[in-house]
Structures are given as structure tokens and as C-alpha cells.
Amino acid sequence: MSEQRGLLIVVSGPAGSGKGTVLSELLRDGGYRYSVSATTRAPRQGEVDGVNYHFLSREAFEARIAGKEMLEYTEYCGNYYGTPRKEAEEVLASGQNLLLEIEVEGAANVKREYPEAVSIMLLPPSFAVQEKRLRGRGTETEEKIRERLLRAREEILHADEYDYVIYNHDGKSAEAVEDIRAIVRAERAALRRNPDVVKNYFA
Ligand code: 5GP
């Protein structure tokens, strides 16, 4: 097999889609690297700097933007979020799959810069379920919840810009994980990603 660059996998899931659960299960498979984003939002309880996010001040984030150190970035509900470019490039060059968990604007920017990226939208089964999940989390104020629900409505309108859409039904996150595995397996085998298949076979 030829030396293949890693697959750049973009997963977006509006608040309440359960993407945290699904992606942490997927990461246990090995073979994937999670891109640790930078953000200016405050850490939530249990979040660790350098593991969940690189938590930065606005000034530090803006300096990175100016230095072109972000592969993409956006402002989401009043805070900056962005993907550090250097780590992403290193992982892809090493042949490992890189998982970006980012919102719709960032996903569109990644697709523009890396058309070979695979984009997946993870959705809750319905808006009603989404709202229930978000309130059940109990980590945010009512104002923040409303803001995130509003944003989630806008994000879902972009679902048809993605390569794949999958659903995370209550109690069935394992199925959503299996869907992502199947997508990745098929994408890695796609002929357009393996142009030297015949030449390599006889090598
Ligand atoms: P949260 O504050 O809930 O961790 O994340 C809020 C939103 O920002 C989520 O939709 C998450 O996917 C998105 N996000 C996290 N990191 C990045 C990033 O590096 N770039 C972009 N564009 N969005 C991000």
C-alpha cells in the first residue's frame, strides 16, 4: 500500500448532539488523533488545559491568528475557537487520522482549504430531544442554554453541506460510533485516495 496521508475528519454536532460521548468512544479505537482546539472560553468543571482545549486569553488567541497559527478559527457564542495548524499538519503527514470537532463555520473553512477532508454532521434525533439533553447537562445558565439552542437551530440548517449526516439516538451512541467507523473505513478505501493501487500491487 502506498504511504497515505491521514484522513482529515471533521465532525460537527450542535450542543446536545452527544458528540462528546460518541467521539470519546471512537478515540478508544486507536488510530485517531484528536485535534485539541484553542479557545478563549472558561474551562468547564473537569476540563483540563491541553487535553480538552488549550485555554487562552483573547490577547493570546489574537496573537495566534495574526501569526497565522490557526488552520481555521471562529467566534462562537462570544468566544474564539480555533484549530492549531502545526499539530494538525504533523498528524496528517504521519498518516494518522485526525479528528476535528468543530462547528459549522469552521467546518466550511476546513473544506475550502482541504477539499479532501471528510465532514460528518452528528445530530440529535429531534430538536425536542436536543433541548432536553442540553437542560439535563446542568452546566450552563438559562441564558447560555438559550443562546446555544438558537445557535444549534442555525447550525442544523447547514447539515446539507456535509458529506455525511448521522443521528445519535438516546442510549444508542454505540450505533453512531459504528456509523463513523464505517464512513472512515469506506473513505480510506476510496479509489480516489489510492491512485497507485495497480502500480503498487505489482511492485
Ligand atoms: P464547547 O464550548 O461546547 O466546548 O464548544 C462550542 C462549539 O465550538 C462546539 O460546536 C465545538 O464543536 C466548537 N469548536 C470547538 N473547537 C473548535 C475549533 O477549533 N474551531 C471551530 N470552528 N469550532 C470549534
Side-chain angles (χ1 to χ4, degrees):
M1 221 180 96
S2 65
E3 280 294 311
Q4 217 181 6
R5 245 170 93 82
L7 199 60
L8 180 53
I9 307 156
V10 178
V11 178
S12 300
S17 62
K19 64 183 176 299
T21 312
V22 169
L23 296 186
S24 56
E25 216 168 305
L26 182 72
L27 285 164
R28 268 189 248 123
D29 284 359
Y32 296 93
R33 289 276 299 276
Y34 182 78
S35 164
V36 179
S37 295
T39 184
T40 57
R41 90 150 157 72
R44 292 198 190 112
Q45 206 179 359
E47 285 184 331
V48 178
D49 188 31
V51 175
N52 304 92
Y53 281 106
H54 300 290
F55 294 101
L56 301 179
S57 66
R58 281 190 86 80
E59 295 69 35
F61 200 107
E62 283 168 358
R64 293 193 187 195
I65 297 171
K68 304 217 175 335
E69 292 171 45
M70 293 297 175
L71 189 154
E72 61 75 36
Y73 71 93
T74 195
E75 213 163 351
Y76 179 97
C77 296
N79 286 299
Y80 282 125
Y81 292 82
T83 304
R85 183 188 299 278
K86 189 161 168 278
E87 284 101 296
E89 279 296 344
E90 284 170 0
V91 170
L92 294 172
S94 77
Q96 287 175 288
N97 298 325
L98 182 68
L99 204 54
L100 304 189
E101 187 220 302
I102 62 179
E103 49 65 64
V104 294
E105 236 175 82
N109 290 335
V110 170
K111 269 294 224 186
R112 218 164 290 133
E113 196 164 337
Y114 297 83
E116 74 279 13
V118 180
S119 60
I120 304 172
M121 171 71 96
L122 177 67
L123 290 180
S126 67
F127 195 69
V129 171
Q130 180 174 27
E131 184 164 2
K132 196 174 103 226
R133 287 182 186 171
L134 208 52
R135 292 186 188 286
R137 189 152 79 184
T139 53
E140 269 126 335
T141 59
E142 179 61 26
E143 193 195 338
K144 277 279 166 206
I145 289 174
R146 276 172 204 251
E147 194 181 354
R148 279 175 179 257
L149 279 171
L150 203 67
R151 176 77 188 216
R153 268 185 196 276
E154 288 167 17
E155 292 200 321
I156 287 163
L157 298 178
H158 292 271
D160 58 4
E161 294 164 18
Y162 283 70
D163 296 318
Y164 298 93
V165 176
I166 61 178
Y167 294 92
N168 186 16
H169 294 278
D170 279 341
K172 296 201 171 150
S173 60
E175 284 180 13
V177 177
E178 198 44 56
D179 286 346
I180 299 180
R181 286 191 190 116
I183 291 166
V184 171
R185 205 168 302 142
E187 286 285 343
R188 285 209 73 131
L191 207 59
R192 69 182 187 286
R193 296 186 195 276
N194 300 278
D196 296 329
V197 68
V198 176
K199 192 178 92 194
N200 291 336
Y201 190 77
F202 292 109

